[in-house]
Amino acid sequence: VTVGEPIDRFVARRRKWTWADARRAIHHDRIAINGVICRRYHRKLAPGDRVAVDGEPLLDALDDGVVLCHKAAGLACSHTPEDAPLLYDEIPSELRHPDLQSAGRLDRDTTGLIVLTIDGGLIQRLTDPEVALWKRYRIRFVGRLDADAESRVAAGLRLPDDALPCLSARLTIASVQVDSGSATLELCEGRHHQVKRMILALGGRVVALHRDRIGALDLPADLPPGAMRPATPSEIASACGG
Ligand code: URA
């Protein structure tokens, strides 16, 4: 179950009922927690609680409160309806929760691994530059990167619009054609459009961007573009650095 969630909200979410429906079911003694009929709408769920409706267990796919997502291109990591199509609208109903937030954002055209969670502490751990958790981006760019691009990134690149230089990062240029190429950039901070702005500052322009690793967690092979599923405890530990 989702620890701390009131029973009426939990049942409504999992059954796709309104809160009024859930409260009516509680009123009619249809809801049990750990085999005991529950009569309090606001009873908060505790670790290990087992909830049943009419004797049928309600399994919660969001048990650990963390969802792994392979973000497809075209979706905004935003709750604002005007930004539609939204990543949040793609969340399958069994994983929906009003407090689910992404740990950082990917641009609309960026694809790859993103963690959604109801755990504010986890979002902090995954996004705080002080924690120095590396995220890996695969880049295709056009243009020609400066000859000293890798060492400038390692030294802490200055961006034209930012007062502070970027934290030291790792750029590896994978292939270079006449006027385009591909590279990998590992960052432990997440400034607005950071990868695109860094590549621009180095003489190129990003044309495709994909995040394939957070901490020690690689984008799982069973997550095709657009897919989401609950994270396992070991995946959560890996995303936090392993
Ligand atoms: N940096 C960017 O420029 N865009 C992203 O989506 C992620 C990192």
Side-chain angles (χ1 to χ4, degrees), residues 21 25 32 37 51 58 65 81 111 149 163 165 208:
D21 291 338
I37 294 295
V51 177
L58 266 192
T111 58

Side-chain angles (χ1 to χ4, degrees), residues 58-140:
L58 266 192
L59 299 176
D60 190 1
L62 245 192
D63 261 354
D64 292 297
V66 186
V67 172
L68 295 183
C69 170
H70 183 165
K71 182 187 168 300
L75 301 173
C77 296
S78 151
H79 287 285
T80 310
E82 291 75 52
D83 293 338
L86 306 180
L87 178 72
Y88 293 103
D89 289 339
E90 302 296 310
I91 300 174
S93 58
E94 72 278 13
L95 297 177
R96 279 181 186 241
H97 187 287
D99 301 332
L100 210 51
Q101 298 282 347
S102 65
R105 292 180 173 205
L106 294 176
D107 296 336
R108 190 186 292 282
D109 53 355
T110 302
T111 58
L113 182 58
I114 189 157
V115 173
L116 307 173
T117 180
I118 58 173
D119 178 344
L122 179 62
I123 292 187
Q124 175 79 9
R125 282 204 296 288
L126 294 176
T127 55
D128 185 351
E130 301 261 309
V131 177
L133 189 74
W134 293 92
K135 285 120 194 160
R136 188 171 68 195
Y137 296 88
R138 307 283 184 186
I139 303 163
R140 281 198 295 111

Side-chain angles (χ1 to χ4, degrees), residues 106-107 110 137 193-196 209:
L106 294 176
D107 296 336
T110 302
Y137 296 88
H193 302 316
Q194 185 166 354
V195 174
K196 291 175 184 168
L209 184 55

Side-chain angles (χ1 to χ4, degrees), residues 4-27 31 33 38-45 51 53 58:
E5 190 174 22
I7 182 70
D8 57 343
R9 292 183 64 168
F10 173 78
V11 171
R13 181 167 62 77
R14 294 293 292 116
R15 275 294 172 102
K16 293 184 220 147
W17 287 350
T18 63
W19 291 358
D21 291 338
R23 289 176 178 195
R24 211 167 297 120
I26 292 168
H27 185 70
I31 312 289
I33 302 179
C38 172
R39 300 207 162 90
R40 285 174 41 227
Y41 304 154
H42 300 300
R43 156 77 152 81
K44 289 198 171 146
L45 292 167
V51 177
V53 178
L58 266 192

